[in-house]
Amino acid sequence: SLPAHRVSLLRALVLSSGLPASANAPIPPLRCSLRGAVWKALLNLGPVSASEYLSLSKAGPSADDAKILEDALRTFKTHPEFTSVVPVARIVRLLNAYVHDRGNTRGTYVQSMSVLAAPFLWVLPDPDAFFAFRAFLATRIPTYIRHYAGALRGCSLLSEALETAAPDLHAALASHHLLPQVYAFSSISSLNACVPPLSDSVALWDVLLAAGAHVAVVFTLARLVLDKDRILGEAPRASALCAPGRRASARGLGQGG
């Protein structure tokens, strides 16, 4: 891993300038893309043990295999940019390895972890993706695995922020008994990874990994505010809020534009 001062410099660079458009292109000496290398550095990961990952993956189906397979089959299944790079088998293998690493206790896998693993698998080889995913859960969103406690708190924070940023939208949603735990849970719990296209989502994750997982709430708020006129012009409903009609630029959201 990089020295702390270099990680701080990298974090500042990502937040001020972002990564180039070619950041997903593989760099042979690194065994991954520039984005993958940056994510590992921001997670304080150095060289990983491919043999450890191989040993965990050879353990086969875990106690949560059925649920993992069910989720993996629907993870970005309609997005060729993802499925052409990450087949279902890669998702299943990584998540079963994670459950084995945690003691193979039923319930270790939490629904939609597959969506959180997906960006790592998209930009990193399997062993690196596994260790990055494990470090991310442990150090950045540790309450996620405790009955979505962190995600639910994020939804509550979104409600407070929306009341300040767009009180008319907040009031309209409240009048229809629409809570963020309904219309924003998928966005908050996946840290916006579920919002297509994935090429935009990973750019937001550059910022998220540099600044902290809490910015997922800000990104969700920004999408709602940008789409406010459309939402207010319709009868508010959860499906309309979960799939905003206006695509927000990842660079614009990431840099406050």
Short mmCIF file of all heavy atoms in Angstrom, two decimals, residues 172-213:
data_model
loop_
_atom_site.label_atom_id
_atom_site.label_comp_id
_atom_site.label_asym_id
_atom_site.label_seq_id
_atom_site.Cartn_x
_atom_site.Cartn_y
_atom_site.Cartn_z
N ALA A 172 -44.31 17.25 -1.25
CA ALA A 172 -45.14 16.49 -2.18
C ALA A 172 -45.00 14.99 -1.94
O ALA A 172 -46.00 14.25 -1.95
CB ALA A 172 -44.75 16.83 -3.62
N LEU A 173 -43.79 14.55 -1.71
CA LEU A 173 -43.56 13.13 -1.47
C LEU A 173 -44.21 12.71 -0.15
O LEU A 173 -44.84 11.65 -0.06
CB LEU A 173 -42.06 12.83 -1.44
CG LEU A 173 -41.31 13.07 -2.74
CD1 LEU A 173 -39.81 12.82 -2.55
CD2 LEU A 173 -41.84 12.20 -3.86
N ALA A 174 -44.06 13.54 0.87
CA ALA A 174 -44.64 13.23 2.17
C ALA A 174 -46.17 13.16 2.08
O ALA A 174 -46.80 12.32 2.73
CB ALA A 174 -44.22 14.27 3.20
N SER A 175 -46.77 14.02 1.25
CA SER A 175 -48.23 14.03 1.12
C SER A 175 -48.76 12.76 0.47
O SER A 175 -49.93 12.42 0.64
CB SER A 175 -48.68 15.24 0.30
OG SER A 175 -48.32 15.11 -1.06
N HIS A 176 -47.89 12.08 -0.27
CA HIS A 176 -48.26 10.80 -0.89
C HIS A 176 -47.71 9.62 -0.08
O HIS A 176 -47.71 8.49 -0.56
CB HIS A 176 -47.73 10.73 -2.32
CG HIS A 176 -48.50 11.59 -3.29
ND1 HIS A 176 -48.32 12.95 -3.39
CD2 HIS A 176 -49.47 11.27 -4.20
CE1 HIS A 176 -49.12 13.44 -4.32
NE2 HIS A 176 -49.83 12.44 -4.82
N HIS A 177 -47.25 9.92 1.13
CA HIS A 177 -46.75 8.88 2.04
C HIS A 177 -45.58 8.08 1.40
O HIS A 177 -45.45 6.88 1.62
CB HIS A 177 -47.86 7.92 2.46
CG HIS A 177 -49.06 8.61 3.03
ND1 HIS A 177 -49.04 9.21 4.26
CD2 HIS A 177 -50.31 8.81 2.51
CE1 HIS A 177 -50.23 9.75 4.51
NE2 HIS A 177 -51.01 9.53 3.46
N LEU A 178 -44.76 8.81 0.62
CA LEU A 178 -43.59 8.18 0.01
C LEU A 178 -42.36 8.50 0.86
O LEU A 178 -41.95 9.65 0.98
CB LEU A 178 -43.39 8.69 -1.42
CG LEU A 178 -44.33 8.09 -2.47
CD1 LEU A 178 -44.18 8.82 -3.80
CD2 LEU A 178 -44.05 6.60 -2.66
N LEU A 179 -41.80 7.48 1.45
CA LEU A 179 -40.63 7.63 2.29
C LEU A 179 -39.37 7.25 1.52
O LEU A 179 -39.40 6.38 0.64
CB LEU A 179 -40.75 6.73 3.53
CG LEU A 179 -41.97 6.97 4.42
CD1 LEU A 179 -42.01 5.92 5.53
CD2 LEU A 179 -41.91 8.37 5.01
N PRO A 180 -38.21 7.85 1.85
CA PRO A 180 -36.97 7.49 1.16
C PRO A 180 -36.58 6.03 1.37
O PRO A 180 -35.87 5.46 0.55
CB PRO A 180 -35.93 8.45 1.76
CG PRO A 180 -36.54 8.93 3.04
CD PRO A 180 -38.01 8.94 2.82
N GLN A 181 -37.07 5.43 2.46
CA GLN A 181 -36.80 4.00 2.68
C GLN A 181 -37.45 3.15 1.59
O GLN A 181 -37.07 2.00 1.40
CB GLN A 181 -37.31 3.57 4.06
CG GLN A 181 -36.49 4.08 5.22
CD GLN A 181 -36.82 5.51 5.62
OE1 GLN A 181 -37.64 6.17 4.97
NE2 GLN A 181 -36.20 6.00 6.68
N VAL A 182 -38.41 3.74 0.86
CA VAL A 182 -39.06 3.05 -0.26
C VAL A 182 -38.44 3.47 -1.58
O VAL A 182 -37.93 2.66 -2.34
CB VAL A 182 -40.58 3.32 -0.26
CG1 VAL A 182 -41.22 2.71 -1.51
CG2 VAL A 182 -41.24 2.78 1.00
N TYR A 183 -38.46 4.79 -1.87
CA TYR A 183 -38.05 5.23 -3.20
C TYR A 183 -36.54 5.38 -3.36
O TYR A 183 -36.05 5.41 -4.49
CB TYR A 183 -38.75 6.54 -3.58
CG TYR A 183 -38.40 7.76 -2.76
CD1 TYR A 183 -37.20 8.44 -2.94
CD2 TYR A 183 -39.29 8.25 -1.81
CE1 TYR A 183 -36.89 9.57 -2.21
CE2 TYR A 183 -38.99 9.38 -1.07
CZ TYR A 183 -37.79 10.05 -1.28
OH TYR A 183 -37.50 11.16 -0.55
N ALA A 184 -35.79 5.47 -2.27
CA ALA A 184 -34.35 5.69 -2.41
C ALA A 184 -33.50 4.56 -1.85
O ALA A 184 -32.28 4.62 -1.92
CB ALA A 184 -33.94 7.00 -1.73
N PHE A 185 -34.13 3.52 -1.31
CA PHE A 185 -33.34 2.48 -0.65
C PHE A 185 -32.38 1.79 -1.60
O PHE A 185 -31.22 1.55 -1.25
CB PHE A 185 -34.25 1.44 0.00
CG PHE A 185 -33.48 0.40 0.79
CD1 PHE A 185 -33.01 0.69 2.06
CD2 PHE A 185 -33.21 -0.85 0.24
CE1 PHE A 185 -32.27 -0.25 2.78
CE2 PHE A 185 -32.48 -1.79 0.95
CZ PHE A 185 -32.01 -1.49 2.22
N SER A 186 -32.84 1.47 -2.81
CA SER A 186 -31.94 0.77 -3.74
C SER A 186 -30.75 1.63 -4.11
O SER A 186 -29.62 1.14 -4.22
CB SER A 186 -32.70 0.34 -5.00
OG SER A 186 -33.22 1.46 -5.68
N SER A 187 -30.97 2.92 -4.28
CA SER A 187 -29.88 3.83 -4.62
C SER A 187 -28.90 3.99 -3.47
O SER A 187 -27.68 3.90 -3.64
CB SER A 187 -30.45 5.20 -5.02
OG SER A 187 -29.43 6.11 -5.31
N ILE A 188 -29.43 4.20 -2.25
CA ILE A 188 -28.57 4.39 -1.08
C ILE A 188 -27.84 3.10 -0.73
O ILE A 188 -26.63 3.10 -0.48
CB ILE A 188 -29.39 4.87 0.13
CG1 ILE A 188 -30.02 6.24 -0.14
CG2 ILE A 188 -28.52 4.92 1.39
CD1 ILE A 188 -29.05 7.38 -0.27
N SER A 189 -28.55 1.98 -0.72
CA SER A 189 -27.92 0.72 -0.29
C SER A 189 -26.88 0.23 -1.28
O SER A 189 -25.94 -0.47 -0.90
CB SER A 189 -28.99 -0.36 -0.07
OG SER A 189 -29.64 -0.69 -1.28
N SER A 190 -27.03 0.59 -2.56
CA SER A 190 -26.03 0.20 -3.57
C SER A 190 -25.00 1.29 -3.79
O SER A 190 -24.13 1.16 -4.64
CB SER A 190 -26.71 -0.12 -4.90
OG SER A 190 -27.19 1.05 -5.53
N LEU A 191 -25.10 2.37 -3.02
CA LEU A 191 -24.20 3.52 -3.17
C LEU A 191 -24.22 4.03 -4.61
O LEU A 191 -23.19 4.38 -5.17
CB LEU A 191 -22.78 3.15 -2.72
CG LEU A 191 -22.68 2.60 -1.30
CD1 LEU A 191 -21.25 2.19 -0.97
CD2 LEU A 191 -23.18 3.62 -0.29
N ASN A 192 -25.41 4.04 -5.19
CA ASN A 192 -25.66 4.51 -6.55
C ASN A 192 -25.13 3.60 -7.64
O ASN A 192 -25.22 3.93 -8.82
CB ASN A 192 -25.13 5.94 -6.76
CG ASN A 192 -25.95 6.99 -6.04
OD1 ASN A 192 -26.80 7.64 -6.62
ND2 ASN A 192 -25.72 7.14 -4.74
N ALA A 193 -24.59 2.45 -7.28
CA ALA A 193 -24.08 1.53 -8.30
C ALA A 193 -25.21 0.98 -9.16
O ALA A 193 -25.00 0.59 -10.30
CB ALA A 193 -23.33 0.38 -7.65
N CYS A 194 -26.44 0.97 -8.62
CA CYS A 194 -27.57 0.39 -9.35
C CYS A 194 -28.12 1.34 -10.40
O CYS A 194 -28.98 0.96 -11.19
CB CYS A 194 -28.68 -0.01 -8.39
SG CYS A 194 -29.53 1.40 -7.64
N VAL A 195 -27.66 2.60 -10.40
CA VAL A 195 -28.16 3.59 -11.34
C VAL A 195 -27.34 3.54 -12.63
O VAL A 195 -26.16 3.87 -12.62
CB VAL A 195 -28.12 5.00 -10.74
CG1 VAL A 195 -28.71 6.02 -11.72
CG2 VAL A 195 -28.87 5.06 -9.41
N PRO A 196 -27.93 3.10 -13.75
CA PRO A 196 -27.17 2.97 -14.98
C PRO A 196 -26.86 4.35 -15.59
O PRO A 196 -27.52 5.34 -15.25
CB PRO A 196 -28.11 2.17 -15.88
CG PRO A 196 -29.48 2.49 -15.39
CD PRO A 196 -29.33 2.68 -13.90
N PRO A 197 -25.86 4.39 -16.48
CA PRO A 197 -24.99 3.29 -16.88
C PRO A 197 -23.85 3.08 -15.89
O PRO A 197 -23.46 4.01 -15.18
CB PRO A 197 -24.44 3.75 -18.24
CG PRO A 197 -24.37 5.24 -18.11
CD PRO A 197 -25.58 5.62 -17.27
N LEU A 198 -23.29 1.89 -15.89
CA LEU A 198 -22.22 1.58 -14.95
C LEU A 198 -21.00 2.44 -15.18
O LEU A 198 -20.26 2.76 -14.24
CB LEU A 198 -21.85 0.09 -15.05
CG LEU A 198 -20.88 -0.44 -14.00
CD1 LEU A 198 -21.46 -0.26 -12.60
CD2 LEU A 198 -20.56 -1.91 -14.26
N SER A 199 -20.77 2.85 -16.42
CA SER A 199 -19.62 3.70 -16.72
C SER A 199 -19.72 5.03 -15.98
O SER A 199 -18.69 5.63 -15.62
CB SER A 199 -19.51 3.95 -18.23
OG SER A 199 -20.73 4.45 -18.74
N ASP A 200 -20.94 5.51 -15.74
CA ASP A 200 -21.13 6.71 -14.92
C ASP A 200 -21.00 6.39 -13.44
O ASP A 200 -20.41 7.15 -12.67
CB ASP A 200 -22.50 7.33 -15.19
CG ASP A 200 -22.48 8.35 -16.31
OD1 ASP A 200 -21.48 8.40 -17.05
OD2 ASP A 200 -23.47 9.08 -16.46
N SER A 201 -21.57 5.26 -13.05
CA SER A 201 -21.55 4.89 -11.63
C SER A 201 -20.14 4.74 -11.09
O SER A 201 -19.84 5.16 -9.97
CB SER A 201 -22.34 3.59 -11.41
OG SER A 201 -23.69 3.76 -11.74
N VAL A 202 -19.24 4.12 -11.88
CA VAL A 202 -17.88 3.93 -11.38
C VAL A 202 -17.16 5.26 -11.25
O VAL A 202 -16.27 5.41 -10.39
CB VAL A 202 -17.07 2.94 -12.24
CG1 VAL A 202 -17.65 1.54 -12.16
CG2 VAL A 202 -16.96 3.41 -13.69
N ALA A 203 -17.52 6.24 -12.09
CA ALA A 203 -16.92 7.57 -11.94
C ALA A 203 -17.37 8.21 -10.64
O ALA A 203 -16.59 8.91 -9.98
CB ALA A 203 -17.29 8.45 -13.14
N LEU A 204 -18.62 7.98 -10.25
CA LEU A 204 -19.08 8.46 -8.95
C LEU A 204 -18.38 7.72 -7.82
O LEU A 204 -18.10 8.30 -6.77
CB LEU A 204 -20.60 8.28 -8.83
CG LEU A 204 -21.46 9.12 -9.77
CD1 LEU A 204 -22.94 8.82 -9.54
CD2 LEU A 204 -21.19 10.61 -9.59
N TRP A 205 -18.09 6.45 -8.04
CA TRP A 205 -17.38 5.69 -7.01
C TRP A 205 -15.95 6.17 -6.84
O TRP A 205 -15.37 5.99 -5.76
CB TRP A 205 -17.43 4.18 -7.35
CG TRP A 205 -18.63 3.50 -6.78
CD1 TRP A 205 -19.91 3.97 -6.75
CD2 TRP A 205 -18.67 2.22 -6.15
NE1 TRP A 205 -20.74 3.06 -6.14
CE2 TRP A 205 -20.01 1.98 -5.77
CE3 TRP A 205 -17.71 1.25 -5.88
CZ2 TRP A 205 -20.41 0.81 -5.12
CZ3 TRP A 205 -18.10 0.08 -5.24
CH2 TRP A 205 -19.43 -0.13 -4.86
N ASP A 206 -15.35 6.76 -7.85
CA ASP A 206 -14.03 7.37 -7.67
C ASP A 206 -14.12 8.39 -6.54
O ASP A 206 -13.26 8.43 -5.64
CB ASP A 206 -13.57 8.09 -8.95
CG ASP A 206 -13.40 7.17 -10.13
OD1 ASP A 206 -13.23 5.95 -9.93
OD2 ASP A 206 -13.41 7.68 -11.28
N VAL A 207 -15.16 9.22 -6.60
CA VAL A 207 -15.37 10.26 -5.58
C VAL A 207 -15.73 9.62 -4.24
O VAL A 207 -15.22 10.02 -3.19
CB VAL A 207 -16.47 11.23 -6.03
CG1 VAL A 207 -16.73 12.29 -4.96
CG2 VAL A 207 -16.10 11.89 -7.35
N LEU A 208 -16.59 8.63 -4.29
CA LEU A 208 -17.04 7.96 -3.08
C LEU A 208 -15.87 7.33 -2.32
O LEU A 208 -15.77 7.45 -1.09
CB LEU A 208 -18.09 6.92 -3.45
CG LEU A 208 -18.78 6.14 -2.34
CD1 LEU A 208 -20.22 5.85 -2.74
CD2 LEU A 208 -18.06 4.81 -2.09
N LEU A 209 -14.98 6.68 -3.05
CA LEU A 209 -13.83 6.04 -2.40
C LEU A 209 -12.82 7.07 -1.89
O LEU A 209 -12.11 6.82 -0.93
CB LEU A 209 -13.15 5.07 -3.36
CG LEU A 209 -13.93 3.77 -3.61
CD1 LEU A 209 -13.38 3.04 -4.83
CD2 LEU A 209 -13.85 2.86 -2.39
N ALA A 210 -12.79 8.22 -2.54
CA ALA A 210 -11.86 9.26 -2.10
C ALA A 210 -12.41 10.08 -0.94
O ALA A 210 -11.67 10.49 -0.05
CB ALA A 210 -11.54 10.19 -3.28
N ALA A 211 -13.73 10.31 -0.94
CA ALA A 211 -14.32 11.20 0.06
C ALA A 211 -15.03 10.46 1.19
O ALA A 211 -15.10 10.95 2.31
CB ALA A 211 -15.31 12.16 -0.61
N GLY A 212 -15.59 9.30 0.89
CA GLY A 212 -16.34 8.55 1.90
C GLY A 212 -17.68 8.11 1.37
O GLY A 212 -18.28 8.77 0.49
N ALA A 213 -18.19 7.00 1.89
CA ALA A 213 -19.45 6.42 1.40
C ALA A 213 -20.64 7.34 1.62
O ALA A 213 -21.66 7.21 0.94
CB ALA A 213 -19.69 5.07 2.07
#
